[in-house]
């Protein structure tokens, strides 16, 4: 069905079948395919590649690629084949297992998590990406804080005294009205 003449279009479908293919692509929300099929429709109606390309807003080099794809494979040749994102390094089952390991063996340092992933699964992640993936999985990173060195040794006693004063339970104050505290707007 291929032609040896350069630039000749192979008519894989009748005009009615081509219109039906456009309608099907519209229903399936394949806007890129619709545009490409409209280009082919323009060629069917006698436009040159350049004229048909101008009608759908594509460059001259794209007109050649789309015409060649149509001639080689018909509608399937025009269907965009984007690779999309690369596949995840860990399968969903492996990632779930990792989350379970992290929850069971807390606390973890970021360096220890990276070592665990590399040793167990043989893959590496950028630190920012790994923290994003773990956060999206519902895990939260909390940095443990050591005790504040400015904290006095008798901090609990000081708190109890101040709380008693604030609630009016301290005998040293002679005021009759209690002190009210809280958050207000």
């Amino acid at each position: 069905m291929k032609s040896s003449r350069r630039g000749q279009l192979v008519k894989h479908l009748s005009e009615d079948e081509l219109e039906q293919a456009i309608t099907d692509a519209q229903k399936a929300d394949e806007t890129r395919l619709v545009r490409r099929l409209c280009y082919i429709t323009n060629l069917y109606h006698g436009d040159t590649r350049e004229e048909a390309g101008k009608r759908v807003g594509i460059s001259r080099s794209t007109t050649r690629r789309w015409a060649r794809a149509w001639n080689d494979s018909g509608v399937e040749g025009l269907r965009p084949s984007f690779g999309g994102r690369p596949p995840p390094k860990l399968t969903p089952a492996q990632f779930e297992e990792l989350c379970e390991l992290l929850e069971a063996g807390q606390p973890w340092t970021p360096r220890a998590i990276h070592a665990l992933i590399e040793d167990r699964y043989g893959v590496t992640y950028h630190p920012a990406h790994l923290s994003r993936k773990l956060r999206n999985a519902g895990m939260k990173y909390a940095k443990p804080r050591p005790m504040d060195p400015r904290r006095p040794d008798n901090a609990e006693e000081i708190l109890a005294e101040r709380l008693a004063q604030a609630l009016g339970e301290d005998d040293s104050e002679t005021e009759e009205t209690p002190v009210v505290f809280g958050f207000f707007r």
Side-chain angles (χ1 to χ4, degrees), residues 147-159 162:
M147 189 171 290
D148 188 352
R150 298 171 296 175
R151 181 179 183 216
D153 292 333
N154 61 345
E156 287 84 12
E157 295 171 16
I158 294 171
L159 176 64
R162 290 184 181 169

Side-chain angles (χ1 to χ4, degrees), residues 27 33 37 47 64 69 94 109 114 142 149 173 176:
K27 287 179 183 175
L33 180 59
L37 291 172
D47 286 354
R64 281 190 294 260
Q94 289 174 328
T109 62
H114 285 279
E173 286 191 32
E176 294 294 324

Side-chain angles (χ1 to χ4, degrees), residues 83-89:
R85 294 182 177 184
K89 293 180 180 182

Side-chain angles (χ1 to χ4, degrees), residues 2 12 14 24 28 34 36 38-39 41 44 53-54 61 92 99 106 108-109 119 123 126 154 163 173-174 177:
K2 287 186 185 178
H12 291 285
S14 69
D24 293 343
V34 170
R36 293 168 189 209
C38 287
Y39 166 73
T41 301
Y44 268 41
K54 282 182 184 177
S61 61
C99 290
Q106 290 189 33
W108 290 90
T109 62
D119 292 344
V123 297
H126 187 275
N154 61 345
L163 188 58
E173 286 191 32
T174 58
T177 59

Side-chain angles (χ1 to χ4, degrees), residues 40-56:
I40 297 300
T41 301
N42 293 336
L43 292 177
Y44 268 41
H45 291 288
D47 286 354
T48 65
R49 283 195 316 222
E50 288 75 21
E51 291 170 342
K54 282 182 184 177
R55 289 181 195 260
V56 295

Side-chain angles (χ1 to χ4, degrees), residues 100-135:
E100 289 171 7
L101 286 171
L102 293 177
E103 287 175 3
Q106 290 189 33
W108 290 90
T109 62
R111 186 171 289 162
I113 294 171
H114 285 279
L116 171 72
I117 292 171
E118 190 167 0
D119 292 344
R120 190 170 186 104
Y121 305 108
V123 297
T124 59
Y125 280 103
H126 187 275
H129 182 64
L130 181 59
S131 66
R132 203 170 26 249
K133 282 184 70 74
L134 292 174
R135 213 175 19 257

